Every structure is written in C-alpha cells, then in structure tokens.
C-alpha cells in the first residue's frame, strides 16, 4: 500500500472549508494561496509548489500559518517520495500544534505521520502515532470534526489490516469509517472519502475472490468520485487498475487493456509511485496471459527498476531517521549510545538484506520464466537443438571464430556425426574428454575445436556442460520424480563428479542455481493447481 493512500490524509490538510470557521480566515490571502498550492500546484509543478510553501512560512507570523506552511511542504515532499523530508516537516508542524493547543491539527498530523511510518514499514511507530491521534480527537469540541477524524482513523486502521491480509477485519473497519462519514453533511470532500472507502471495499472483495461484488464497489467509487472535488485524482487511476484486474480475471482482454491504459496515464501524470508499480505489474501480467513476451518483459523491467529505486529511497529515509535517533541520544551514557547505534545498524542491515533478497528473488523468477519460455519454444522446433539461455553468453567470451582449414566434405561429415552425438547420451559419461569426442567423430582434437568454435560458438568444456544441463532440465520438466531428487543425485545423473561443479555449471548456463530452478518450478505448479 505504499504511497497510494497517504493522499487521503493529505487532502484533509487542505480542507479548510470543510467545517465552519471565521469569515476573516476563510477569505484570507494566506488560505487562498495555501489551498491553491496544495490542491493545484502540487500536482503541476513540485518545484514551484515547494517555493511557494517556503515563502508562506517565511512571511507568516501567526503560528497557525507557519504550521500550515510546514504541513504543505511535508505533503509535497511526500508526493515526491522523499519521506525523510516529509516526516521532518510534519514533526516541526506537530510541535507548533502542541504549543498552541490546536487539537484539530494535532489529529491531522498524527494521521499523516501514521500513514508515513506505515508506508516505510515502521508499523510500531505508525500505530503509536495513530493511537496518539485517537486520544487527541477526544479533545476536539465540534462533533462533526470528530466524526470526520474518526472516519479517517478507521480508514487508516483498515490499511494496516490490508497490509496484514486480514480482509474480513479490514471490511469491518471500512464499514465503521463509512458510518462516521455518513453522519456528515454531503460535500465534494465527503464524496471523495466515500469513494475511497468503496475502492478499499473492492480491494478486499478481489482478494476474497468475489469479483462481482468488487466491481459493484468500484462503480460506486467512480460515482462518488465524479461528485467530489478531486474527480481526476490518483484514486481514479486506482479504480481503473482494479477494474482492469477484474476484466483480466474474466478474460475480457480489450476491456482490461483499456482500463490499464487509463490507469497508466493517470499514474504517470500524477507521479504516484505506488500506482505506477501496480499498473506496471498488472500490464506485465496482462501481456503474459496474451503470450506477448516482449511487452511483458518491457513492463516487468519498468516495475523492477521502479521498485529498486523506491527500495533505495526507503533505505535512505530509514538511514536518515536512524541517524537522527543517534544524534538525539548523543547525550546518553556511552553504553546506551552503543546500543542505539547497534540497533540502528542492525535494522539497516536487515532492511538492506530484505531489499537485496527481494530484488534477487524477482531476477531469479524472471530468469526462470525466460528459461521455461525458451524450452517451450525449442520443443516446437524439432530441427533446432534446445537452447538453454543462449542470450546469457556465459563461457563464450573467449571463443574466437577461426577460418576453416578443413575441406568441405570432411566438415560436413564431422557436423553430421556431431548432430548424431548430440541426439545420444554419450556426453553423460564421467571424465568425457575432447579426445574421446574426437574419436567418436572420426577426427582429431584440432578439427573438433574448430568445429565447436565455428558452429556451436563454444569451447569443449562449455559445450559438454551445456548438453548436460540441457539433459537434466528436460528430465526434471518431463519426469516428475526428478523434482524430488537431491542435487547431488541430479549432478551424478548428468555426468558431473561433484555437487559444487554441477551447481557452478548450471548457474553459468542458466543464470540461476539448481535449487532456485526447482523452487520456482514448484511454485509455478502450485499456482497452476
């Protein structure tokens, strides 16, 4: 749920006209610039929006105006994906809100920080901020405002349950949020929050497998959104992406593509990273189902690049947060300081490992799918030998084609016998040597080397290794019992003397290890069942 839903808390920051307030404040030049920057310029020109928010802070004297300027800056940085800066300005604003006893803004900022921390995976900090907000809401005097804030709080709690994949509990919280919003007078902003709830209901139903009910919620969400003040917001892109996934599930491919493309356009124009990730993943799945490998790979690479960028940004943000923790604890005793640093470093190492593991997992899955596709394609062509990830080019960098000094009849005869050799299983013999193969082909090792270099683009060792890997992959794919064998047995089965040698050659020719190949194959079969 990264970056997508925080906009709903952000909207509350600019809703100065939601409830009654003094005529002087609502008509002030500050509020006019503030609202225009937050709702309009923040979507058009982030640089100009930041300049305006900074100017508002510098030229403001009332603490409330300074607070609003700081939260405007925090919201803009959030949209840019710079969470560290966003949290920094929000915390400054919170200090002002506490100082002037403004419970409305304390509640808004607590919700904003909760969503930020949740997006970063700091769930404990997020829950603490949200609980702080719940206590503050009790102090808000106006009942309508309390209902509004409680509606937002239950939306935020629903997001936590969506992240936990407890969709039943999430639906209960969304219904609770809906009950609070229903107590409010109908308004463009209220329609927006109702649209948000309907979109969340739809997400829950999709994950629970009820696509018909999900579609009804998406339609109601669009209806509410059309009546809101932000009808062309990122929420519309989320709805279109959801409707596209429903159409794809029903195999209504033209409709699915139309919704995906509309969602993609809104994702790019809004700049919201989370929506881009969802849309790129959805389009990759769409083209995969249609068998368009080129387009599928294009969107998968977009997703991978974006995910990697976001992971680095999150790591940088956490690094900054933990750095501030260290700075704030410099006055502690040396022992306490050591523990704080150690915990911070440990958390960073864990995060770095998780990011690295996730990216490696995705790359392994992509290599596995590419390998399987090549194997499927090769079986359709009985003439060509099976190609095991030729594009990797591992082991061919030192192979230089040489001009033949072999007569054409001899060359033809050797090639014919080489093809016959490849159709058999002689290469599975342990300690199989170049001289053995040369004798099999009725030639010498020099001619054999020239033939392999010019017609297989491989030297002898890589040639034999590739044939053996090709053989064992075919056995694993076609004979189910091979999936349960130990790696050492598979190594021996295809002519390798050791487990480690087999693993090294397997990875050289496929890009993944035998264990990763077997794991992905098992996962693929589970998904298909």
């Amino acid at each position: 749920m990264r970056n997508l839903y925080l906009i709903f808390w952000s909207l509350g920051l600019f809703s100065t006209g939601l409830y009654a307030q003094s005529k002087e404040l609502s008509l002030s030049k500050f509020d006019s610039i503030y609202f225009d920057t937050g709702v309009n310029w923040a979507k058009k020109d982030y640089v100009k929006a930041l300049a305006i928010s900074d100017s508002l802070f510098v030229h403001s004297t009332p603490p409330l105006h300074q607070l609003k300027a700081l939260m405007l800056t925090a919201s803009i940085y959030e949209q840019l994906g710079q969470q560290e800066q966003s949290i920094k300005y929000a915390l400054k604003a919170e200090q002002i809100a506490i100082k002037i006893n403004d419970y409305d803004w304390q509640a808004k900022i607590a919700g904003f920080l909760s969503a930020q921390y949740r997006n970063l995976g700091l769930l404990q900090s997020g829950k603490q901020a949200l609980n702080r907000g719940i206590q503050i809401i009790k102090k808000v005097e106006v009942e309508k405002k309390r209902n509004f804030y409680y509606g937002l709080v239950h939306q935020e709690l629903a997001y936590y349950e969506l992240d936990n994949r407890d969709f039943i509990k999430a639906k209960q919280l969304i219904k609770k949020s809906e009950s609070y919003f229903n107590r409010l007078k109908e308004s463009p902003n209220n329609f927006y929050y109702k649209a948000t709830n309907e979109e969340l209901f739809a997400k829950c139903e999709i994950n629970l497998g009820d696509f018909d009910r999900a579609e009804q919620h998406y339609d109601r969400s669009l209806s509410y959104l059309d009546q809101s003040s932000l009808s062309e917001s990122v929420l519309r892109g989320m709805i279109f992406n959801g409707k596209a996934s429903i159409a794809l599930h029903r195999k209504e491919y033209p409709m699915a593509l139309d919704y995906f493309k509309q969602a993609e356009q809104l994702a790019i124009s809004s700049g919201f990273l989370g929506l881009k990730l969802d849309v790129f993943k959805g389009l990759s799945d769409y083209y995969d189902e249609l068998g368009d490998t080129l387009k599928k790979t294009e969107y998968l690479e977009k997703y991978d690049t974006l995910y990697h960028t976001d992971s680095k940004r999150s790591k940088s943000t956490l690094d900054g947060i933990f750095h501030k923790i260290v700075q704030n604890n410099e006055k502690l005793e040396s022992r306490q300081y050591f523990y704080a640093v150690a915990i911070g470093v440990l958390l960073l190492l864990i995060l770095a490992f998780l990011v690295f593991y996730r990216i490696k997992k995705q790359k392994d899955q992509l290599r596995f799918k590419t390998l399987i596709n090549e194997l499927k394609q090769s079986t359709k062509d009985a003439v060509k030998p099976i190609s095991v990830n030729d594009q990797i080019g591992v082991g061919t960098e030192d192979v230089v084609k040489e001009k033949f000094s072999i007569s054409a009849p001899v060359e033809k005869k050797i090639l014919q016998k080489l093809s016959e050799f490849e159709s058999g299983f002689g290469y599975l013999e342990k300690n199989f040597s170049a001289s053995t193969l040369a004798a099999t082909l009725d030639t010498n090792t020099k001619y054999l080397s020239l033939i392999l270099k010019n017609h297989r683009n491989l030297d002898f060792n890589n040639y034999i290794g590739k044939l053996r890997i090709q053989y064992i992959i075919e056995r694993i794919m076609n004979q189910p019992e091979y999936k349960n064998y130990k790696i050492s047995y598979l190594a021996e089965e295809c002519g390798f003397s050791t487990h480690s040698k087999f693993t090294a050659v397997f990875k050289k020719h496929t890009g993944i290890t035998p264990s990763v190949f077997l794991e992905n194959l098992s996962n693929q079969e589970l998904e298909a069942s």
Side-chain angles (χ1 to χ4, degrees):
M1 302 285 173
R2 290 188 54 78
N3 298 326
L4 290 173
Y5 302 114
L6 208 144
I7 188 175
F8 309 133
W9 275 105
S10 301
L11 178 63
L13 306 179
F14 310 116
S15 302
T16 56
L18 258 175
Y19 306 104
Q21 52 181 303
S22 69
K23 184 177 180 181
E24 179 183 355
L25 181 61
S26 63
L27 296 177
S28 70
K29 185 176 181 180
F30 177 93
D31 278 349
S32 176
I33 297 172
Y34 168 79
F35 185 83
D36 183 58
T37 304
V39 175
N40 297 318
W41 280 110
K43 293 189 292 184
K44 299 176 185 176
D45 188 338
Y46 290 125
V47 175
K48 183 170 183 177
L50 283 171
I52 294 172
S53 64
D54 182 62
S55 178
L56 284 174
F57 178 80
V58 171
H59 295 95
S60 297
T61 303
L64 181 60
H65 286 185
Q66 291 181 335
L67 180 158
K68 287 184 175 182
L70 288 169
M71 285 308 299
L72 175 57
T73 302
S75 176
I76 296 168
Y77 274 122
E78 187 278 322
Q79 292 184 55
L80 288 169
Q82 298 183 28
Q83 287 96 342
E84 181 180 0
Q85 289 293 92
S86 179
I87 292 171
K88 170 185 171 183
Y89 281 93
L91 289 172
K92 286 182 178 180
E94 186 178 45
Q95 291 304 311
I96 296 176
I98 293 171
K99 188 175 181 181
I100 64 176
N101 291 321
D102 191 318
Y103 299 126
D104 290 350
W105 273 100
Q106 287 182 49
K108 292 177 185 178
I109 295 169
F112 183 89
L113 287 170
S114 172
Q116 285 280 25
Y117 289 135
R118 173 174 53 80
N119 285 340
L120 286 168
L122 300 173
L123 301 184
Q124 185 176 356
S125 297
K127 287 280 183 75
Q128 287 175 352
L130 193 59
N131 289 332
R132 189 166 67 250
I134 292 171
Q135 296 305 313
I136 293 167
I137 292 171
K138 296 176 182 177
K139 300 178 182 180
V140 176
E141 295 179 356
V142 181
E143 184 180 0
K144 289 182 179 179
K145 289 185 177 181
R146 288 200 303 272
N147 288 333
F148 171 65
Y149 295 141
Y150 279 132
L152 287 179
V153 163
H154 284 86
Q155 268 191 2
E156 179 66 13
L157 288 170
Y159 301 148
Y160 280 97
E161 297 307 324
L162 281 167
D163 288 342
N164 291 333
R165 301 190 67 77
D166 190 340
F167 304 111
I168 300 298
K169 191 171 182 180
K171 284 173 63 177
Q172 294 171 352
L173 289 164
I174 299 166
K175 286 179 182 177
K176 190 72 173 176
S177 171
E178 192 176 48
S179 70
Y180 282 110
F181 289 142
N182 286 337
R183 300 174 192 178
L184 304 175
K185 183 180 179 180
E186 298 290 15
S187 69
N189 286 325
N190 196 21
F191 280 127
Y192 188 85
Y193 291 107
K194 287 186 175 182
T196 303
N197 276 340
E198 291 295 333
E199 192 272 342
L200 291 175
F201 270 131
K203 265 190 168 57
C204 291
E205 297 298 350
I206 284 178
N207 282 282
L208 292 170
D210 194 335
F211 290 87
D212 291 337
R213 186 169 292 180
E215 187 175 42
Q216 293 172 10
H217 283 297
Y218 277 130
D219 290 338
R220 281 198 289 270
S221 182
L222 279 175
S223 177
Y224 282 131
L225 189 60
D226 288 337
Q227 301 173 69
S228 75
S229 57
L230 289 174
S231 60
E232 293 302 318
S233 68
V234 67
L235 179 58
R236 185 175 293 273
M238 294 159 59
I239 296 169
F240 285 154
N241 189 65
K243 288 178 77 69
S245 66
I246 293 174
L248 183 60
H249 172 77
R250 294 171 175 170
K251 301 191 182 303
E252 298 170 350
Y253 298 118
M255 184 182 294
L257 182 60
D258 181 56
Y259 279 127
F260 272 134
K261 286 300 181 180
Q262 291 185 70
E264 183 181 27
Q265 185 177 357
L266 286 165
I268 293 171
S269 63
S270 68
F272 271 84
L273 183 64
L275 181 55
K276 286 183 182 178
L277 286 169
D278 282 354
V279 172
F280 290 160
K281 182 65 170 63
L283 279 166
S284 174
D285 292 340
Y286 168 82
Y287 286 115
D288 183 44
E289 194 157 327
L290 263 63
D292 190 338
T293 305
L294 190 63
K295 285 296 238 181
K296 181 200 79 172
T297 304
E298 175 188 341
Y299 279 100
L300 197 61
E301 287 176 352
K302 285 183 179 181
Y303 172 87
D304 190 57
T305 301
L306 209 58
Y307 179 86
H308 183 63
T309 301
D310 184 48
S311 297
K312 288 201 299 185
R313 185 185 291 120
S314 296
K315 181 180 180 298
S316 175
T317 298
L318 287 172
D319 191 18
I321 292 172
F322 288 121
H323 180 66
K324 287 180 176 59
I325 292 173
V326 172
Q327 286 182 327
N328 292 334
N329 286 280
E330 282 182 347
K331 295 180 181 180
L332 297 176
E333 296 179 3
S334 59
R335 190 174 181 179
Q336 293 175 314
Y337 174 77
F338 171 78
Y339 287 145
V341 174
I343 291 171
V345 171
L346 179 61
L347 288 172
L348 285 173
L349 288 173
I350 292 172
L351 177 65
F353 171 78
L354 291 174
V355 170
F356 172 79
Y357 178 78
R358 179 74 178 269
I359 293 171
K360 182 179 182 299
K361 196 87 170 175
Q362 289 177 335
K363 288 182 177 178
D364 285 344
Q365 289 173 350
L366 182 60
R367 291 191 182 106
F368 171 79
K369 288 181 179 178
T370 302
L371 177 60
I372 295 301
N373 287 337
E374 288 179 354
L375 287 169
K376 289 179 179 178
Q377 184 61 37
S378 66
T379 58
K380 296 177 182 179
D381 191 343
V383 177
K384 293 183 179 180
I386 293 177
S387 173
V388 184
N389 211 5
D390 282 337
Q391 298 301 319
I392 295 175
V394 178
T396 64
E397 61 273 8
D398 294 326
V399 177
V400 179
K401 292 188 177 182
E402 300 180 25
K403 190 174 181 180
F404 269 107
S405 58
I406 311 174
S407 66
V410 172
E411 177 188 354
K412 183 177 179 180
K413 181 181 178 182
I414 295 174
L415 284 172
Q416 184 178 355
K417 289 191 175 185
L418 186 65
S419 294
E420 293 172 359
F421 168 76
E422 291 169 349
S423 299
F425 302 103
Y427 50 80
L428 299 178
E429 296 178 13
K430 290 183 179 179
N431 303 319
F432 191 80
S433 64
S435 57
T436 303
L437 178 57
T440 302
L441 304 180
D442 291 331
T443 187
N444 55 58
T445 55
K446 181 178 179 181
Y447 279 12
L448 171 63
S449 177
L450 287 172
I451 289 289
L452 292 179
K453 287 178 181 178
N454 285 277
H455 289 276
R456 297 296 184 265
N457 203 31
L458 294 165
D459 59 27
F460 173 77
N461 288 331
N462 280 299
Y463 171 69
I464 295 299
K466 182 175 179 179
L467 289 175
R468 288 173 172 177
I469 299 305
Q470 170 185 304
Y471 166 83
I472 202 64
I473 288 177
E474 287 178 340
R475 285 291 183 275
I476 294 171
M477 295 291 294
N478 297 323
Q479 298 184 29
E481 64 271 16
Y482 273 74
K483 300 181 183 70
N484 301 318
Y485 292 159
K486 293 182 178 180
I487 301 297
S488 56
Y489 179 84
L490 296 177
E492 185 176 355
E493 175 73 9
C494 61
F496 289 97
S497 56
T498 65
H499 174 293
S500 58
K501 180 66 175 176
F502 170 62
T503 299
V505 176
F506 193 101
K507 186 172 184 180
K508 176 184 280 190
H509 287 286
T510 66
I512 55 177
T513 63
S515 57
V516 169
F517 175 82
L518 291 169
E519 178 187 352
N520 278 277
L521 186 61
S522 177
N523 291 338
Q524 185 186 68
E525 290 175 349
L526 285 174
E527 290 174 2
S529 62

